[in-house]
């Protein structure tokens, strides 16, 4: 809403200045692959390949910052900012701050307790930019929690009436084709507004034999135990015909 990132050119510059491949390799040892779109790349039928995130381009990023009216000071920076995170994101945040330094954005890292972060960042919006992660699938519609007006992890309070309208249409759709069409239109809008950078995919695939029952990857109705066990607790798993 205010500060340098109010300008979409500066937001785009930041997106161009963050090397998502480097974040993947240095912070996650390549296990969590870099993401190039505004939804996870695992949703292949819903991807709008014309609405990719900006490629890593430090020179282009600095050009955009200058187009936004900024000039480097005697220390070589266009402006200063702070990345505020809670514990657990330090590795990724270190790569991001170093990336931003290379495009002339002096970036301090502020690591705080989660409860303080929730109060300061999420509730009171006292931050320049931040970093979050978490579950959003398995259906592509789960991505909406990050960018719909009332999305439960829409930390930056992004609100676009057309995005909300398209998302509600997708929720009411009777076919995957209609859902995909709405999602592709949404991604086109997100690519224009650039209110977030999706860096890596937290995509895990669990393969197991059909004699395994109660697996937490599935809900109770699907024969799993996710509703009472979460995503990794194996207490309710049982097997038969294991031979």
């Amino acid at each position: 809403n205010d500060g340098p990132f109010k300008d979409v050119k500066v937001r785009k510059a930041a997106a161009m200045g963050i090397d998502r491949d480097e974040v993947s390799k240095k912070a996650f040892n390549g296990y969590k692959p870099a993401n190039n779109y505004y939804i996870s790349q695992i949703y292949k039928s819903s991807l709008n390949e014309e609405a990719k995130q900006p490629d890593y381009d430090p020179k282009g990023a600095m050009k955009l910052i200058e187009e936004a009216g900024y000039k480097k000071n005697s220390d070589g920076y266009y402006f200063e900012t702070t990345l505020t995170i809670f514990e657990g994101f330090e590795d990724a945040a270190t790569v991001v701050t170093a990336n931003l330094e290379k495009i002339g954005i002096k970036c301090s890292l502020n690591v705080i307790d989660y409860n303080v972060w929730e109060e300061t960042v999420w509730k009171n919006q006292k931050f320049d930019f931040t970093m979050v992660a978490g579950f959003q699938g398995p259906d592509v519609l789960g991505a909406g929690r990050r960018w719909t007006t009332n999305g439960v992890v829409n930390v930056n309070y992004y609100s676009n009436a057309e995005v909300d309208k398209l998302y509600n249409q997708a929720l009411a759709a009777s076919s995957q084709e209609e859902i995909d069409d709405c999602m592709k239109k949404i991604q086109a809008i997100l690519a224009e507004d650039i209110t977030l950078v999706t860096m890596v995919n937290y995509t895990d695939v669990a393969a197991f034999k059909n004699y395994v029952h109660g697996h937490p990857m599935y809900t109770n109705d699907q024969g799993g135990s996710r509703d009472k066990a979460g995503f990794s607790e194996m207490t309710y798993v049982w097997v038969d015909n294991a031979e």
Side-chain angles (χ1 to χ4, degrees):
N1 292 323
D2 52 32
F5 295 113
K6 182 178 181 179
D7 191 323
V8 67
K9 287 185 177 180
V10 178
R11 296 199 299 272
K12 185 174 183 179
M16 293 168 67
I18 295 173
D19 188 341
R20 301 185 298 274
D21 286 319
E22 185 178 11
V23 173
S24 171
K25 293 173 183 176
K26 289 187 175 180
F28 303 104
N29 201 28
Y31 175 67
K32 300 185 186 305
N35 186 68
N36 295 317
Y37 298 88
Y38 290 93
I39 61 173
S40 174
Q41 293 169 191
I42 197 172
Y43 304 118
K44 294 182 179 179
S45 69
S46 297
L47 280 180
N48 183 343
E49 296 190 359
E50 302 300 317
K52 294 180 70 175
Q53 296 191 93
D55 291 331
Y56 178 58
D57 182 2
K59 290 183 179 179
M62 288 188 283
K63 182 179 178 181
L64 275 177
I65 296 173
E66 291 177 359
E67 288 179 6
Y70 292 89
K71 302 295 181 183
K72 285 186 176 180
N73 61 23
S74 58
D75 293 325
Y77 296 109
Y78 294 109
F79 61 86
E80 296 184 20
T81 188
T82 301
L83 171 55
T84 302
I85 62 170
F86 55 89
E87 295 94 335
F89 291 105
E90 291 91 339
D91 289 346
T94 298
V95 177
V96 169
T97 55
N99 283 170
L100 294 180
E101 293 264 344
K102 292 178 181 178
I103 62 170
I105 299 176
K106 187 175 183 179
C107 186
S108 301
L109 182 59
N110 181 27
V111 185
I112 56 180
D113 176 78
Y114 175 80
N115 292 325
V116 178
W117 177 90
E118 185 176 34
E119 184 71 22
T120 304
V121 173
W122 201 334
K123 292 183 179 180
N124 294 321
Q125 296 288 288
K126 301 295 184 183
F127 72 106
D128 295 333
F129 70 120
T130 190
M131 192 176 291
V132 295
F135 174 73
Q136 65 179 36
D139 192 287
V140 67
L141 293 172
R145 69 188 68 191
R146 301 192 179 280
W147 32 253
T148 52
T149 298
N150 296 316
V152 295
V153 285
N154 180 9
V155 178
N156 57 337
Y157 283 51
Y158 173 64
S159 182
N160 184 303
E162 185 62 20
V163 167
D164 291 344
K165 178 182 177 182
L166 287 166
Y167 185 68
N168 287 330
Q169 288 178 10
L171 288 174
S174 57
S175 69
Q176 186 62 46
E177 290 74 17
E178 188 176 355
I179 292 173
D180 291 343
D181 181 63
C182 290
M183 294 298 291
K184 288 176 181 179
K185 291 177 180 176
I186 288 171
Q187 291 166 70
I189 298 172
L190 297 177
E192 292 180 358
D193 291 346
I194 313 182
T195 64
L196 77 167
V197 178
T198 57
M199 295 190 295
V200 296
N201 286 311
Y202 275 51
T203 303
D204 295 310
V205 177
F208 51 91
K209 298 291 187 179
N210 59 8
Y211 55 72
V212 177
H213 304 274
H215 199 286
M217 286 291 287
Y218 293 94
T219 65
N220 290 3
D221 291 342
Q222 296 169 325
S225 60
R226 184 194 304 162
D227 304 299
K228 55 186 176 182
F231 295 99
S232 58
E233 176 56 53
M234 300 293 176
T235 298
Y236 301 98
V237 175
W238 60 281
V239 299
D240 63 3
N241 298 323
E243 71 277 6

